[in-house]
Amino acid sequence: MKSITAIFRLLTITLPLAVAGQQLENPGFEEWETAAPSIIEPTEWNSIKTADDPGIAAMAPITIDRSEDAHTGNYSLKLYNVTPFPNLVATGAITNGRFHAEFDLTKSYSYTQRSDPKYHTSFTWRPDSLTGWFKYFPNLNDAAQFKVILHVDSCKLPTDSLSQLNIVGMGVFVTEHGVTYDSWTRFSVPFQYFNDSLPEYALTTMNSGDSITAIDGSYLLIDDLELKYAPAGINEPKKPDSFLTYGKGILNLTLAPETYMNQWLYIIDASGQTVYSTRLEKGTINLPESIPGAVYIALLITSNRQYAQKILIP
């Protein structure tokens, strides 16, 4: 749960920002506090148990825990999927904003609650990349997700049309479907920016399952999140290497075939939602005509790295 001291913590880290750049709060999950009777949450983070509907929050299952299996320090964050009711899988989830929860999972979302410092993270920098350490134990073909949305004004995830207009940039990491990571594994993904604005908030949401199709029993350990900044200038993010070209509804991969064959490619919109995904069997992909024109991120996940590139679909 985000504490009321978040504003003061933010003030105390502003002096070294010129060197290190602004960071997420409690990124190593070392600090924990009581959020409700018999419920603890990492300080500056919130679970479904502190959602904005007290009735649903009280009935919601616990899907987070403090783990002593840490990459560094004493603790890491554990997220896990459970089935509280028949035919309903609750995804392990954490956010530095707040959850709006409904029994219809398609209507649930996380959001920046600007009116309450316990449920938002002020953020005014443009990082180059998001890194962190994790272990993941999926059930069947599940996948974990990490998303940081930098935005102005209000924003929720998944977004509505207003939120999409407010997004400045985002960093997204998705684990390989069905792949177990039984030792501490580092990920690093670049931020993609959609305009030249400075953000006002960072909305971070992480899940131990693949959104509303999560599978019971999957669990995720997270530790040591860090935002990286380009050495040449904190406000000039490094552009990632391109790995494809786009034209007339067709994607052409420019990597060697052995790099992408049988790997997953995602097309992700400005809200962080996947609008198309496929396991690659060739270097040319015909995108569905149903994908609306907009700016997207193409995300290629391989066994040893992740490629990301911004594409414009007219």
Side-chain angles (χ1 to χ4, degrees):
M1 181 170 68
K2 284 183 66 64
S3 70
I4 199 67
T5 60
I7 295 177
F8 301 100
R9 291 176 184 273
L10 181 61
L11 291 175
T12 62
I13 64 172
T14 54
L15 289 177
L17 285 184
V19 177
Q22 192 173 351
Q23 295 293 326
L24 299 173
E25 298 163 333
N26 194 16
F29 306 101
E30 289 299 300
E31 301 176 24
W32 292 71
E33 62 187 358
T34 301
S38 303
I39 303 297
I40 61 170
E41 292 178 340
T43 305
E44 321 301 352
W45 298 86
N46 304 287
S47 74
I48 195 71
K49 298 301 291 184
T50 47
D52 57 10
D53 185 322
I56 292 182
M59 297 177 61
I62 300 173
T63 62
I64 75 166
D65 198 2
R66 180 173 61 190
S67 173
E68 294 183 357
D69 181 358
H71 174 250
T72 63
N74 296 315
Y75 306 115
S76 68
L77 169 66
K78 181 179 181 180
L79 304 178
Y80 54 93
N81 303 345
V82 297
T83 302
F85 309 106
N87 301 317
L88 176 64
V89 177
T91 308
I94 199 80
T95 182
N96 61 1
R98 196 173 197 183
F99 284 111
H100 171 77
E102 297 194 21
F103 290 111
D104 182 351
L105 297 182
T106 63
K107 297 180 180 180
S108 299
Y109 54 85
S110 59
Y111 67 103
T112 292
Q113 186 172 337
R114 293 182 294 161
S115 61
D116 192 334
K118 293 187 294 183
Y119 301 110
H120 72 242
T121 295
S122 297
F123 197 94
T124 58
W125 292 67
R126 291 169 64 99
D128 178 64
S129 59
L130 167 69
T131 70
W133 291 83
F134 72 98
K135 289 184 178 182
Y136 187 51
F137 300 85
N139 189 9
L140 300 177
N141 204 38
D142 215 349
Q145 303 179 355
F146 301 74
K147 298 175 182 178
V148 178
I149 308 296
L150 305 177
H151 67 93
V152 298
D153 298 327
S154 59
C155 186
K156 63 181 183 180
L157 181 64
T159 66
D160 52 18
S161 57
L162 177 60
S163 294
Q164 292 184 15
L165 295 175
N166 293 337
I167 293 176
V168 175
M170 68 176 179
V172 178
F173 174 72
V174 182
T175 65
E176 287 188 87
H177 282 263
V179 174
T180 296
Y181 300 80
D182 57 7
S183 60
W184 283 105
T185 303
R186 183 179 185 269
F187 73 87
S188 177
V189 291
F191 274 86
Q192 301 286 337
Y193 287 93
F194 300 97
N195 56 58
D196 295 327
S197 302
L198 289 178
E200 297 174 334
Y201 304 98
L203 176 60
T204 304
T205 302
M206 298 176 287
N207 303 85
S208 54
D210 191 1
S211 189
I212 60 173
T213 61
I215 302 173
D216 186 14
S218 299
Y219 70 94
L220 171 69
L221 299 179
I222 308 168
D223 206 356
D224 296 333
L225 299 176
E226 185 177 4
L227 300 175
K228 298 289 188 178
Y229 293 85
I234 286 178
N235 289 326
E236 298 177 1
K238 179 181 64 178
K239 294 182 179 179
D241 296 332
S242 63
F243 67 96
L244 55 79
T245 60
Y246 172 79
K248 297 182 178 180
I250 299 175
L251 294 176
N252 292 285
L253 277 80
T254 58
L255 301 171
E258 59 267 24
T259 302
Y260 61 77
M261 288 296 290
N262 297 314
Q263 307 299 323
W264 280 91
L265 176 75
Y266 298 84
I267 304 300
I268 300 174
D269 67 16
S271 72
Q273 295 302 292
T274 299
V275 299
Y276 177 75
S277 65
T278 184
R279 188 184 290 271
L280 296 172
E281 298 179 352
K282 56 183 180 179
T284 302
I285 303 97
N286 294 296
L287 293 179
E289 295 182 358
S290 58
I291 298 178
V295 177
Y296 296 91
I297 289 177
L299 195 66
L300 172 63
I301 300 175
T302 71
S303 58
N304 56 11
R305 67 168 292 184
Q306 183 166 295
Y307 299 83
Q309 181 180 333
K310 184 167 62 176
I311 61 171
L312 171 64
I313 297 180

